[in-house]
Structure formats: structure tokens, C-alpha cells
Amino acid sequence: MASLAAWSWLLLVICLVWPAVRAHACTVSAPVRLADLSWESAAFSTQLYQEILEKAYDCRTERVPGSSAALETALAQNDIQLIGEIWSGRTEIIEKAIAAGQVQIIGNTLAGGAEQGWYVPDYVVDGDPQRNVKAVAPELRRIQDLGQYAQVFSDPEQPGRGRFYNCPSGWVCETFNSRLFELYGLDKAYQNFRPGTGAALDAAISAAYDRRQPILFYYWQPAGLMAKYSFRKLTSAPFDKACWDAAVSGKGHTCPTDFIVARIAVAASTPFVQAHPELVDVFEKIQLRPEQMNAIILGMTEGGQNAATQVQRFLKENPEQWRTWMPVAQADRLQAALAADRVDAGQDAQGGFFPSWSAADWINRQLLSAVREWGTGFRSVSAWILQGVILPVERVLQSVPAWVVLALTGALAAWSQRRYLPPLLYVAGLYLIGAMGLWDKLMQTFALVLVATFFSVLIGIPVGVLAARSRVLRRVLTPVLDVMQTMPSFVYLIPVLMLFGLGKVPAVLATVVYALPPLIRLTSLGLRQVDPNVMEAAQAYGVTRWQMLTKVTLPLARPSIMAGINQTTMMALSMVVVASMIGAQGLGEDVLAGIQTLDIGRGLQAGIAIVILAIVMDRISQSYGRSQRRRSKDRKQL
């Protein structure tokens, strides 16, 4: 009898506790970590999964920011558990992780899948009567037709050819596009341009569209730009799975084909899937209609609403849709949480103390207005810098035989240092770069650094001279230089490339902004530290102000000025990887591709080349910066 009573109590306890256990699907203490992706559709999906996990299943969650490649690698290692949006066949890292059993793809978030292809703005084909824009390619319908329109999509770096904006390096679509590009014979008339990052590609498209300029590019939807602008997809051969696989893998017979319709889903680490089958059931049922996703993205891009606001609105307006995704008990919990929830409670809680100020919209409007009003003028300046300075320097460096460059480097180092071993090591290091197949990219990077240093010297030394003479100017310049040195370069990269275009010119301008301050500071400091007795003696001999500057103070300040040039050169070189994110070719391009594809060897190889170039330039410029007395002393010691 006692045993029967005990079993009855146990059954009662189980009946009471079971619903609570089912509600708390996340029984482990560690939070569920989600990738904090930035683009609109992914930000919405991530926020949606987070809301469901926290409010319906009482899970603790944590968002982890980072680049796509880093987050995908973290998912494969179970350092994070969920990526809210993954496109099938988009990244090699995820494909390898799936093959290794580390990652599983769950559900089909967007009904019908995602479309991708090659696009041009509508006004290229149809014109825009409201903006008085005539159609420049009225017969353009197919990718096969692009050969006759190369001049329409002119490449600023090679005016006789067109430019096709491909995917950023490291994406699977970049490989497919490149093979399709060659298959249609477009490599003879177009440059296959890789913009570096998705943000750079977006900025290039936006800048061209707002100025109603022709542009040919790869893109996908759903996406913010697709909701904001009107584009036309160029048709190609019908989709063929065998052709697609051959073009992506590079194995087998490649043939023309349309793009595959990508499946958009959530990616989860295998340990998470095994530990939380009830959550996997929910993720498999989550699905949005294309018109819903486009409206959400448009609200985020044009309406200025964040993902949290859009998710709250979606959940409150569509309960009949999301209640079918989960059991009744969890749906009721989520419904109750939404009723008591306030949008963006954290900001509301502080709203009584802080005023609500934001200059973001005003800045965006001013930038857009500048692009529309003065974009053509900025592009003219960009074309002049590109054609008149950067490309000639690059062509000269690439036309010089490698052995001549090595011999000149060795001679310069030997003359400045009066030693034999360091020059031999410098030459050996540069030879190693060539042996790794990076000589052309080394010359591209060297040209970029040379041009950026040239402009920095052209601006920095005169400004430094003026600052040395004027205390007022120094007080004005000091905070400006502080801002130039501390402002993250990504902040001004996007506006610079929208005004000046994608590629080498914005890279040089951004590099000058970053590398200029030390030259101004050290030039001013060097001139102010010149011995006053020497200047008085020169004045006693009746020198003019120009003679005082050119014959006395500048020569005496030369070590400080050369230290400034050395620092400027090093800082310019440190920008090469950042510059690659906006399409500047060179060694940074390989580092970026290595990061995006997790090709450690490729990235490390290019990184070593940058280090070798930095050591060579640093040692030689330091040697020429030493005073004549110090160099004479060194020679005597030898």
C-alpha cells in the first residue's frame, strides 16, 4: 500500500514538473551563442531565433559579432551554436564543415529560395525620363550580349575595357562567376573586378545608381539594395545541375547555366542539434514568404528600423503564422511575453535621462546629396589621379625586370648602411617573395605605398613647416591630427569610395588620411628643436627667411623629418590589407582572401611578404634619416 502511495506521489510530481521541463528546453547552464550577422535579412533572422529561444523556451542566449569566415569557423568548432542565415553553396567553410559532420543545415527560412545572378540598373535598358537619362543598352537582355556593351560599363583603370563587379574573393559565387565570365569570352573585353567585401560592392552599386551611371554586377535577393533600387537580371542558359557543379568545383565539363536557386536556412553545430531536438523541430518549421522578407528589409533600409523592432512587429502582427512553428505551451509563453514586452526596453528605460539625438540620418542624406551633386566631379579627380599618377607608377614598377629591382635595393641599402650582410638579406627576402609567386602583387602594393607616401610628403612637410611657425595653427591642427589618427579607417572608407569609386584611388586617399599625421607632427617638432644659437648666427650673416628655411632649419631638422617619412611609409604599408577591402589589388588582397576562405597558408604567405617589404623599407629609410655626423661615425667605425 505504501509502495502504491509512493508511486502515486511520483506520478503527480512528474505531471506537475513535466510542462516546466518541456518549457525549459535549454537545460544546460551555458548560453546558446548566435552569430551576430550585419546584413538586413540575417540580422532579422538572428533576432527572430533569439526571441523564440529566450521567450518561448527560456534559453539564455548570447550574440557573437565577427566576420562571416570567423563565425563559420567558430560554428564548425561549436564555439557558437547557430548562424541565423546560411545560403546553400555560398561558402567553402560551411560546405567542408557539413561534409565533416560538424555542421547541419536546418529548415528553409525563405519560401522559394533566394535568387542570384548578374544585374544592371533598369535605366541602363529603359532609360529614366524623370532624370533625363537615356537608355545606353536598350537591347541588353542576355549575358551573351555583354560583349558589345563593354564601353557602356567602362573600367576606370582600363578605359578601353568594361568592368564586371564580381563577388568578393573567397565567396563560392566568385569562383562560379569567374568561370562563367571566361566561358562567355568576356575576359577579352571586361575586367573581372573583385570588390573585396560585400559592403564595398553595395557602396559601389549605390553610388552608381544614385548618379544614374551604368554598372554591371553580381547580386542576390532578398537584400536591401534589391528592395531599394530597381535592377534587371540578365538571362543566361537554363539551369543545369551538372554544369553548375562543374563550374563551382572546376572539375568536369563546364557549360553555360543559370544560377542555382539558393536555399536559405539556419546552420547549427552538430552537438547543438544532438542536444536540442525540440529546438531543431521549431527551426525546421520557420518560414517566411518573399514579400514578407522584402517588406522587412525595406523597413530596415528605408525606414531606419532595427531588427529588434521588425521582429517585434512581425511577431505581433502574424501570430497565426508563428504559432504553427512550435507547441501550444511555448506559443502561449511567447504570446504572453510579447504582451508584456516593450520595444527596445533598454533604450526606453534610459530615455528619461538621455535625449534622443542622432546625426546618422542627416549624414546619410548629406552623403547621398554629395554623391548626386558632385559625384561626377569627384570621379573626374579620381580618374586623373588614377591615370596620371597611380597607374604610370605601377606600370613602370611592373615593367622593370625583377633583377634590376633587386640590384637597386641592394645598392641603396649598401650605400646607406655601409654594410654587406643586411643588403644581402633584403635582396634574399625580396627574392623569396618572387619565388612565392607574389612579385606582381608586391609591385602593386609598393606602387600604392609610394604614391600614398608621395602625397603625404607633398602635404605633410609644408603643413609641418607652417605649424612650426604658428602656435595658433598648431593648436588648431592638434585635435584634427588626433582625429585622423584615432578615427577607425572603416568609417571614412565607405564615403570615400562612394565619392571616388572603388579601387586604388580611394585606397590611396584613405591611406594618406591615416599616414599623414606623424609626418606633420615630426616636421613641426624637428624645426622647433633647431638650436636657436645657430639660427641667430645665420641671421647675423644676413640670410633671408627662405634661406633660413632651406639652408639652415630644414637640413638640421632632417633626422626628425626623415623619421616622419619613415613612420608615414610604415603606416601606409599597414593600410594595404584594409585597402584590399575596397578593391585595391596587391598583397592585402591575398591576406583578405585567406581570411575569407580560411586558407591560412595563402594569407600567411602574403603576410610574410608584407613583413619583408616593411623591414626593407624601414631599414633603408631609417639609414637615410640618420644625421650626416652619425653616418660618418659609422663609416669610421667600419
Side-chain angles (χ1 to χ4, degrees):
M1 190 65 183
S3 175
L4 180 61
W7 278 107
S8 299
W9 275 106
L10 180 61
L11 182 61
L12 179 61
V13 169
I14 291 174
C15 290
L16 292 173
V17 173
W18 178 248
V21 172
R22 289 290 299 167
H24 294 71
C26 300
T27 54
V28 295
S29 58
V32 179
R33 294 182 174 177
L34 297 95
D36 193 3
L37 302 174
S38 57
W39 65 91
E40 294 86 1
S41 58
F44 175 83
S45 299
T46 304
Q47 184 68 32
L48 180 61
Y49 290 121
Q50 191 172 15
E51 293 275 336
I52 292 174
L53 288 171
E54 289 182 350
K55 295 176 179 174
Y57 287 89
D58 202 22
C59 298
R60 288 198 304 121
T61 63
E62 182 180 328
R63 297 173 72 143
V64 180
S67 67
S68 296
L71 292 172
E72 289 162 5
T73 305
L75 181 72
Q77 298 172 348
N78 196 34
D79 293 329
I80 65 172
Q81 284 71 52
L82 294 173
I83 293 181
E85 181 176 304
I86 285 289
W87 291 46
S88 60
R90 189 79 174 265
T91 71
E92 292 184 8
I93 299 173
I94 289 295
E95 295 300 315
K96 290 178 181 176
I98 294 171
Q102 299 169 311
V103 170
Q104 296 188 29
I105 303 299
I106 305 168
N108 191 359
T109 311
L110 183 67
E115 190 177 358
Q116 50 189 328
W118 293 13
Y119 292 86
V120 297
D122 271 356
Y123 57 77
V124 171
V125 180
D126 301 328
D128 184 356
Q130 293 183 350
R131 298 281 297 270
N132 198 25
V133 176
K134 296 182 179 178
V136 292
E139 304 298 327
L140 180 59
R141 299 288 184 276
R142 307 177 303 165
I143 293 177
Q144 295 92 318
D145 301 332
L146 283 171
Q148 56 184 310
Y149 293 107
Q151 294 297 327
V152 172
F153 306 101
S154 180
D155 179 16
E157 296 180 9
Q158 304 176 51
R161 296 162 62 87
R163 171 180 283 191
F164 167 64
Y165 287 84
N166 200 338
C167 283
S169 298
W171 294 15
V172 171
C173 51
E174 186 266 334
T175 305
F176 176 81
N177 283 333
S178 297
R179 295 204 171 101
L180 197 67
F181 193 76
E182 295 175 2
L183 199 62
Y184 282 112
L186 297 176
D187 53 330
K188 299 173 184 173
Y190 285 80
Q191 183 191 177
N192 185 7
F193 187 85
R194 298 165 182 84
T197 61
L201 177 61
D202 289 357
I205 296 169
S206 296
Y209 198 97
D210 290 331
R211 296 184 301 113
R212 294 297 188 270
Q213 293 297 309
I215 182 169
L216 169 66
F217 57 96
Y218 162 88
Y219 216 74
W220 59 90
Q221 59 178 335
L225 290 187
M226 285 293 181
K228 183 177 181 180
Y229 299 130
S230 180
F231 300 129
R232 177 165 298 184
K233 182 181 177 181
L234 302 181
T235 61
S236 61
F239 177 72
D240 185 301
K241 183 68 167 56
C243 295
W244 170 266
D245 290 341
V248 170
S249 65
K251 299 176 182 176
H253 174 65
T254 56
C255 45
T257 175
D258 198 357
F259 283 81
I260 191 172
V261 176
R263 170 192 174 194
I264 299 180
V266 58
S269 66
T270 298
F272 177 85
V273 172
Q274 293 171 345
H276 302 287
E278 67 283 359
L279 295 178
V280 173
D281 290 341
V282 177
F283 295 158
E284 285 179 342
K285 295 173 184 173
I286 292 177
Q287 190 172 79
L288 282 79
R289 299 186 296 276
E291 61 271 19
Q292 279 183 317
M293 185 60 84
N294 284 332
I296 289 166
I297 292 173
L298 190 61
M300 296 173 71
T301 55
E302 293 295 285
Q305 298 172 341
N306 58 27
T309 304
Q310 288 286 30
V311 168
Q312 290 283 331
R313 176 174 296 176
F314 169 79
L315 292 174
K316 289 179 179 178
E317 293 179 354
N318 301 278
E320 72 288 348
Q321 184 176 356
W322 57 261
R323 287 185 73 89
T324 63
W325 298 344
M326 60 192 76
V328 175
Q330 280 67 48
D332 290 342
R333 285 174 60 89
L334 179 55
Q335 187 85 54
L338 289 173
D341 203 10
R342 292 185 301 173
V343 176
D344 211 352
Q347 291 185 7
D348 288 344
Q350 303 293 340
F353 182 74
F354 292 109
S356 179
W357 293 346
S358 175
D361 291 338
W362 182 83
I363 293 172
N364 289 336
R365 287 196 301 272
Q366 297 306 311
L367 177 60
L368 185 60
S369 175
V371 170
R372 287 175 177 169
E373 299 295 330
W374 305 317
T376 304
F378 279 111
R379 297 301 173 115
S380 300
V381 174
S382 174
W384 179 82
I385 296 174
L386 184 67
Q387 299 294 335
V389 183
I390 300 175
L391 291 182
V393 172
E394 190 175 301
R395 287 172 188 145
V396 167
L397 289 174
Q398 288 183 327
S399 64
V400 176
W403 66 268
V404 174
V405 176
L406 295 178
L408 285 174
T409 303
L412 280 172
W415 173 255
S416 63
Q417 300 185 353
R418 302 294 179 179
R419 297 176 181 174
Y420 299 106
L421 182 58
L424 288 176
L425 292 176
Y426 303 157
V427 172
L430 295 179
Y431 184 82
L432 176 64
I433 296 174
M436 291 189 292
L438 297 172
W439 187 261
D440 286 341
K441 293 186 176 180
L442 173 69
M443 291 298 106
Q444 290 172 339
T445 299
F446 190 42
L448 186 71
V449 173
L450 275 183
V451 173
T453 305
F454 169 75
F455 280 115
S456 297
V457 170
L458 203 63
I459 300 169
I461 291 181
V463 174
V465 171
L466 294 175
R469 290 176 175 272
S470 171
R471 182 174 297 176
V472 175
L473 181 58
R474 283 202 302 278
R475 289 178 176 174
V476 173
L477 272 179
T478 299
V480 175
L481 297 179
D482 290 342
V483 170
M484 291 169 67
Q485 280 192 293
T486 55
M487 176 75 78
S489 53
F490 295 102
V491 173
Y492 51 79
L493 274 179
I494 295 300
V496 166
L497 73 87
M498 288 188 72
L499 292 171
F500 290 93
L502 209 58
K504 298 182 173 69
V505 174
V508 166
L509 295 179
T511 303
V512 169
V513 171
Y514 182 69
L516 186 60
L519 182 56
I520 295 176
R521 291 183 196 275
L522 288 171
T523 300
S524 173
L525 180 67
L527 290 173
R528 285 183 285 121
Q529 287 183 335
V530 172
D531 190 344
N533 295 326
V534 176
M535 297 175 67
E536 286 180 11
Q539 286 174 339
Y541 282 99
V543 298
T544 63
R545 295 184 67 179
W546 177 251
Q547 289 173 329
M548 177 68 79
L549 176 66
T550 57
K551 303 292 185 182
V552 180
T553 55
L554 277 179
L556 291 174
R558 193 183 70 172
S560 181
I561 295 173
M562 288 302 295
I565 294 176
N566 173 268
Q567 290 300 305
T568 295
T569 307
M570 292 300 101
M571 294 180 75
L573 190 55
S574 70
M575 281 287 287
V576 295
V577 177
V578 177
S580 69
M581 295 182 177
I582 54 174
Q585 297 172 327
L587 295 171
E589 191 182 8
D590 271 30
V591 175
L592 183 64
I595 293 171
Q596 291 180 333
T597 61
L598 209 65
D599 189 345
I600 305 300
R602 183 181 180 185
L604 185 61
Q605 200 165 260
I608 290 172
I610 292 173
V611 171
I612 292 172
L613 179 60
I615 291 173
V616 172
M617 295 178 70
D618 178 60
R619 297 298 184 272
I620 293 178
S621 59
Q622 274 191 16
S623 300
Y624 280 98
R626 284 180 297 179
S627 65
Q628 186 67 32
R629 183 179 300 176
R630 173 76 180 274
R631 295 172 64 187
S632 301
K633 185 178 177 182
D634 290 345
R635 291 190 190 108
K636 288 177 182 177
Q637 289 177 348
L638 291 173

